[in-house]
């Protein structure tokens, strides 16, 4: 079983190497700043978001595409709000 600490490290790494430079910067910085403070369910939500791919995430954050309802929760809103601070 993966420890919480290792899970956060893995998610930070994955967030920093999504495939697109812009998404790497956004998600990598977000992960470094927020993942340690998220609840386990929120980490599940973040991991589900990451699994959707960098092109989708970027389109959703920019508002180019509508995010699916099952992913449009607290964690996505944190990421979207974080994007406006960059």
């Amino acid at each position: 079983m993966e420890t919480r600490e290792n899970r956060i490290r893995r998610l930070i790494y994955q967030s920093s190497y999504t495939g697109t430079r812009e998404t790497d910067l956004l998600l990598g910085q977000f992960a470094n700043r927020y993942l340690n403070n998220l609840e386990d369910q929120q980490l599940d939500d973040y991991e589900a978001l990451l699994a959707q791919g960098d092109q989708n995430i970027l389109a959703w954050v920019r508002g180019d595409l509508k995010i699916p309802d099952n992913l449009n929760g607290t964690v996505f809103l944190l990421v979207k709000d974080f994007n406006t601070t960059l």
Side-chain angles (χ1 to χ4, degrees):
M1 174 106 184
E2 184 177 40
T3 65
R4 178 178 167 82
E5 182 178 299
N6 284 342
R7 182 182 191 194
I8 289 171
R9 269 194 234 134
R10 176 178 54 79
L11 289 172
I12 289 172
Y13 179 84
Q14 289 175 332
S15 298
S16 300
Y17 298 98
T18 62
T20 304
R21 180 95 174 119
E22 188 173 357
T23 311
D24 291 350
L25 290 172
L26 168 64
L27 295 179
Q29 290 178 28
F30 173 84
N32 275 311
R33 185 170 299 168
Y34 286 103
L35 291 192
N36 282 313
N37 298 321
L38 296 182
E39 301 290 327
D40 289 340
Q41 179 59 54
Q42 291 174 310
L43 290 176
D44 292 345
D45 293 346
Y46 184 73
E47 198 160 6
L49 183 66
L50 271 184
Q52 303 307 306
D54 59 316
Q55 295 299 330
N56 286 328
I57 296 168
L58 194 57
W60 296 330
V61 167
R62 288 181 175 166
D64 297 338
L65 291 175
K66 183 183 180 305
I67 186 168
D69 291 337
N70 65 314
L71 297 170
N72 192 10
T74 306
V75 173
F76 176 71
L77 294 176
L78 284 172
V79 172
K80 191 172 181 177
D81 288 344
F82 182 75
N83 182 54
T84 63
T85 66
L86 293 180

